[in-house]
Amino acid sequence: IDELKKQWYQRRVRGLKVLRLCDEMQCLAKHGHFLPSAMQGHTEEQIEELKLRDDYEKVCVPQGGSVECEDPIGRRSGKAPNESMAEVIMKTVTDAKEMVSNKLTGSNTVLTLAEVQDALDRLRGAVMIVYPMKLPPYDPVQAELDGEEDLSGTQASLEIIEQGSLWWAGKELLPEKLLSDYVGRNEKTKIIVKLAKKGASAPGREQQMTEEEKKQMMAWQFRKQEELKKLHEADDGDDYYNSPWANSSALKSQFHGIGNITWGPK
């Protein structure tokens, strides 16, 4: 169990890094490199008045030149990569998200640590293509790639559980035991294990039905109610005479192959 928890933790941490990188790289493709903290949120007039300067403005020029696209929240320089280079980043981001998507579970696809690392390497390669001179060290993209990201005080820090415990079927999986002690030795057994903070109570159980199954059941119930409503409205006491089981010639018609013939005006 202890070895399983270590592998799961490494895969989760790197998977979260991929998603954080994807979000920041989308901003990078739209608005260029990150501004120094002293320049963020200021207008051009305020920057000139305070005599602030971006030392990386002439260094961090994307491959093929830049286009002006102002950042509405003032975090980035507004000098975005051109359309072709932005497409390189966006396509890589889309591919990386699919590689670590939670939807893989529904298709019974195993996500390994090597595949998560492959997604990270692809994102790194896309940044190097567009910015071969590297980004400023304070840019979140470069900090993530260098392993120097600072998540303190952010929502992302709450997603990382360093000292956690694994739970299954309302039981905590103790690190010193084997997984087979809980689920047996059948290699085809599939279980859903949840991670919780150390010392916390058991996490909530999985829903018995998925959202899609709930929608299908509600649609079936609605159709059934409509059918019963129509039958109730059409029932005049003698309606059963028109039922197939009340037809005394049903067997004969079936042998002659004329059971589904209906008569009516043209």
Side-chain angles (χ1 to χ4, degrees), residues 28 32-33 55-66 79 81 85 89 124-137 139 142 145-146:
L28 176 66
H33 69 275
D55 295 332
Y56 287 88
E57 181 177 2
K58 296 182 179 180
V59 178
C60 293
V61 179
Q63 191 79 6
S66 62
K79 300 184 181 299
M85 289 294 102
I89 294 178
R124 185 189 304 274
V127 173
M128 291 180 65
I129 290 173
V130 183
Y131 290 92
M133 76 300 294
K134 286 191 175 183
L135 293 163
D139 192 303
Q142 192 63 49
L145 294 175
D146 295 340

Side-chain angles (χ1 to χ4, degrees), residues 74-126:
R75 294 171 67 243
R76 295 188 173 271
S77 64
K79 300 184 181 299
N82 61 33
E83 185 176 354
S84 60
M85 289 294 102
E87 181 63 26
V88 171
I89 294 178
M90 298 302 288
K91 186 177 185 306
T92 307
V93 165
T94 301
D95 294 342
K97 283 185 175 181
E98 290 178 354
M99 291 175 69
V100 299
S101 173
N102 291 332
K103 295 180 180 179
L104 295 175
T105 305
S107 59
N108 294 326
T109 302
V110 179
L111 177 62
T112 63
L113 185 60
E115 291 171 335
V116 177
Q117 185 60 46
D118 183 30
L120 279 172
D121 292 340
R122 293 190 185 194
L123 293 172
R124 185 189 304 274

Side-chain angles (χ1 to χ4, degrees), residues 253 257-262:
S253 299
I258 57 174
N260 295 323
I261 295 177
T262 57

Side-chain angles (χ1 to χ4, degrees), residues 21-195:
L21 256 176
C22 288
D23 291 339
E24 290 295 342
M25 285 177 64
Q26 286 177 321
C27 296
L28 176 66
K30 293 178 181 178
H31 305 296
H33 69 275
F34 213 65
L35 288 172
S37 57
M39 296 179 62
Q40 294 180 17
H42 292 301
T43 63
E44 294 183 4
E45 293 78 10
Q46 290 172 330
I47 291 174
E48 292 178 2
E49 183 180 349
L50 297 172
K51 296 182 180 179
L52 301 176
R53 186 177 64 179
D54 181 9
D55 295 332
Y56 287 88
E57 181 177 2
K58 296 182 179 180
V59 178
C60 293
V61 179
Q63 191 79 6
S66 62
V67 294
E68 292 292 333
C69 185
E70 183 180 357
D71 186 358
I73 59 177
R75 294 171 67 243
R76 295 188 173 271
S77 64
K79 300 184 181 299
N82 61 33
E83 185 176 354
S84 60
M85 289 294 102
E87 181 63 26
V88 171
I89 294 178
M90 298 302 288
K91 186 177 185 306
T92 307
V93 165
T94 301
D95 294 342
K97 283 185 175 181
E98 290 178 354
M99 291 175 69
V100 299
S101 173
N102 291 332
K103 295 180 180 179
L104 295 175
T105 305
S107 59
N108 294 326
T109 302
V110 179
L111 177 62
T112 63
L113 185 60
E115 291 171 335
V116 177
Q117 185 60 46
D118 183 30
L120 279 172
D121 292 340
R122 293 190 185 194
L123 293 172
R124 185 189 304 274
V127 173
M128 291 180 65
I129 290 173
V130 183
Y131 290 92
M133 76 300 294
K134 286 191 175 183
L135 293 163
Y138 50 78
D139 192 303
V141 174
Q142 192 63 49
E144 289 281 0
L145 294 175
D146 295 340
E148 299 179 356
E149 66 275 13
D150 182 13
L151 303 179
S152 57
T154 64
Q155 182 65 28
S157 64
L158 302 178
E159 297 177 343
I160 299 177
I161 304 176
E162 295 184 359
Q163 297 295 330
S165 56
L166 298 178
W167 289 78
W168 171 71
K171 300 177 182 178
E172 182 179 359
L173 306 184
L174 301 178
E176 63 273 11
K177 289 195 173 185
L178 298 175
L179 188 60
S180 59
D181 295 336
Y182 294 95
V183 298
R185 297 183 177 275
N186 187 354
E187 296 181 357
K188 295 184 178 180
T189 301
K190 178 181 176 181
I191 64 174
I192 297 177
V193 179
K194 290 191 174 184
L195 180 69

